[in-house]
């Protein structure tokens, strides 16, 4: 929710820490939600193995949307 609240603020630039925090709350979690759906009914072992790539997928999708907006 913190990332969503950050969207309401008129911040022109984020420092690296703020950006990472924003990305986790807005993009990483999208990848994790996709992973949860795709791994439904499977053991946690594959889910844990795919956690980092799923988060990277969420970030890449989100960043491509940012660039599309420019």
């Amino acid at each position: 929710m913190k990332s969503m609240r950050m969207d309401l603020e008129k911040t022109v630039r984020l420092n690296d820490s703020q950006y990472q925090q924003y990305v986790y709350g807005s993009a990483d979690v999208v990848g994790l939600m996709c992973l949860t759906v795709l791994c439904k009914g499977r053991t946690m072992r594959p889910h844990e193995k795919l956690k980092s790539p799923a988060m990277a997928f969420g970030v890449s999708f989100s960043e491509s949307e940012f660039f599309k907006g420019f």
Side-chain angles (χ1 to χ4, degrees), residues 15-28:
N15 65 35
D16 190 53
S17 175
Q18 291 169 322
Y19 176 74
Q20 293 303 322
Q21 189 175 43
Y22 177 79
V23 165
Y24 176 77
S26 65
D28 287 349

Side-chain angles (χ1 to χ4, degrees), residues 4-36:
M4 291 178 195
R5 283 191 295 274
M6 289 173 75
D7 283 336
L8 298 174
E9 298 172 9
K10 301 281 186 200
T11 305
V12 177
R13 282 187 75 101
L14 300 175
N15 65 35
D16 190 53
S17 175
Q18 291 169 322
Y19 176 74
Q20 293 303 322
Q21 189 175 43
Y22 177 79
V23 165
Y24 176 77
S26 65
D28 287 349
V29 294
V30 171
L32 293 174
M33 287 187 296
C34 290
L35 183 60
T36 300

Side-chain angles (χ1 to χ4, degrees), residues 26-58:
S26 65
D28 287 349
V29 294
V30 171
L32 293 174
M33 287 187 296
C34 290
L35 183 60
T36 300
V37 171
L38 295 172
C39 289
K40 186 175 173 102
R42 298 182 184 191
T43 64
M44 288 301 288
R45 192 172 212 97
H47 182 274
E48 287 301 316
K49 184 177 180 181
L50 297 172
K51 186 176 178 179
S52 181
M55 291 168 70
F57 167 76

